[in-house]
Amino acid sequence: LVDLEYALLRRMGTVDGATPMVTMVHEIQLTEDVLEERMASYDVSLNVICTPERTLRISRPAPRPKGIRWEFLSPQKLRVVSALGALKAKLEEESGRALPVGPDEPLPPTPLRPKDLVFKGKRRKRDGP
């Protein structure tokens, strides 16, 4: 999801290609190297990777995407992430042309929020005001 968040922030002009990107991972998630040619066009390269044991600084991160790669977003994802679907519809209306859409994909189930929980056939009462 980090790639999608970055794309949205880039579209809004909040970040650009020079904005430092930092992440935290466990040491066992690291590999010896990440080949730039294996990165997808929507992957966001990092400047700093922190683990509990060390901090790695990347001297030359790969180029980052310049915005949202609509051709990778499925209709299902656009429905689930309603802000994305609304933005796509707005951009299509403004430009008068359809933006690309990605292939269908099965999405994992969305977790229930407290307001959606039902206990013994009754809706759960909310605590507080």
Side-chain angles (χ1 to χ4, degrees), residues 83-122:
L84 264 180
L87 175 60
K88 184 175 186 288
K90 179 181 181 224
L91 294 174
E92 288 174 333
E93 184 179 323
E94 288 174 356
S95 69
R97 64 181 178 83
L99 292 170
V101 65
D104 287 337
E105 69 174 324
L107 296 179
T110 304
L112 292 175
R113 297 171 295 209
K115 70 176 188 159
D116 298 326
L117 295 177
V118 176
F119 294 92
K120 296 183 184 176
K122 298 180 182 176

Side-chain angles (χ1 to χ4, degrees), residues 4 26 29 37 40 51 60 64 78-79 115 121 125:
L4 188 51
H26 192 279
Q29 292 176 278
E37 57 269 10
T51 75
R60 290 181 296 152
R64 298 184 183 133
L78 293 172
R79 275 194 302 279
K115 70 176 188 159
K125 291 184 181 179

Side-chain angles (χ1 to χ4, degrees), residues 5-38:
E5 292 164 345
Y6 175 84
L8 282 166
L9 291 171
R10 183 87 184 232
R11 172 77 175 94
M12 294 168 34
T14 306
V15 299
D16 62 23
T19 303
M21 298 301 293
V22 180
T23 195
M24 298 182 310
V25 299
H26 192 279
E27 191 74 24
I28 63 172
Q29 292 176 278
L30 294 175
T31 61
E32 205 49 44
D33 61 358
V34 175
L35 301 174
E36 188 174 331
E37 57 269 10
R38 291 183 66 189

Side-chain angles (χ1 to χ4, degrees), residues 36-113:
E36 188 174 331
E37 57 269 10
R38 291 183 66 189
M39 291 179 67
S41 61
Y42 52 80
D43 284 335
V44 177
S45 60
L46 302 167
N47 298 88
V48 180
I49 302 171
C50 300
T51 75
E53 289 83 24
R54 58 187 168 149
T55 299
L56 304 168
R57 299 187 189 285
I58 312 304
S59 59
R60 290 181 296 152
R64 298 184 183 133
K66 296 187 182 339
I68 300 169
R69 300 296 309 268
W70 297 106
E71 66 273 22
F72 294 107
L73 297 175
S74 68
Q76 294 83 0
K77 177 128 345 171
L78 293 172
R79 275 194 302 279
V80 171
V81 185
S82 56
L84 264 180
L87 175 60
K88 184 175 186 288
K90 179 181 181 224
L91 294 174
E92 288 174 333
E93 184 179 323
E94 288 174 356
S95 69
R97 64 181 178 83
L99 292 170
V101 65
D104 287 337
E105 69 174 324
L107 296 179
T110 304
L112 292 175
R113 297 171 295 209

